Structures are given as C-alpha cells and as structure tokens.
Amino acid sequence: MAECKNFDRNQDICNCSYPCSRKGLCCECVHYHRQREELPACYFPEDAEKTYDRSIEHFIKIRP
Ligand code: SF4
C-alpha cells in the first residue's frame, strides 16, 4: 500500500480522541464513516467529538 505523504500533518490537525488505526489517513477515515452514513471527527467541536456519536443527526443537532 502506498504511504500517505500527508500522514504526519494529518495527525497533527486531527481532533479525533478515539484510539483508531485510521487517524491521519483521512481518505480511509472518510470512507469508513461515509459508508455508515456518518461524518468524521473533524466535523465536530471538541465536546461533541468526545461522545463518539458521528451521526449526521448529531451533526445537524449541534451545529450553530
Ligand atoms: S474519525 Fe473515526 S475513522 Fe477517523 S480517526 Fe476518528 S475514529 Fe478513526
């Protein structure tokens, strides 16, 4: 598998607090959550992210 050239930068800016092998691999992260009709952690502010509820309904509920 090719390595992601942005892996280190992605890890630095990722706000996800869940221990996950996809952290820093944004394409895999988006794919994983999209197929579950969810959004990745970076769509959520810190307090909402920590609930690990990545549903679109949660996003709509908490967005300003
Ligand atoms: S948002 Fe989901 S897939 Fe992405 S790093 Fe966090 S737990 Fe893993």
Side-chain angles (χ1 to χ4, degrees):
M1 184 192 305
E3 289 186 18
C4 176
K5 68 175 183 169
N6 297 319
F7 181 77
D8 291 340
R9 187 182 67 173
N10 291 346
Q11 284 224 323
D12 284 347
I13 64 176
C14 179
N15 70 334
C16 185
S17 61
Y18 190 81
C20 176
S21 62
R22 297 178 191 89
K23 190 173 173 74
L25 299 171
C26 299
C27 54
E28 291 188 16
C29 176
V30 169
H31 178 70
Y32 175 82
H33 285 291
R34 186 174 178 212
Q35 65 186 2
R36 287 163 178 72
E37 299 187 346
E38 297 175 344
L39 295 166
C42 52
Y43 276 78
F44 298 90
E46 187 177 349
D47 55 337
E49 185 282 320
K50 284 182 171 34
T51 68
Y52 302 143
D53 181 353
R54 310 278 192 245
S55 67
I56 292 169
E57 291 79 10
H58 186 210
F59 173 74
I60 291 169
K61 191 172 157 191
I62 58 97
R63 68 191 270 253

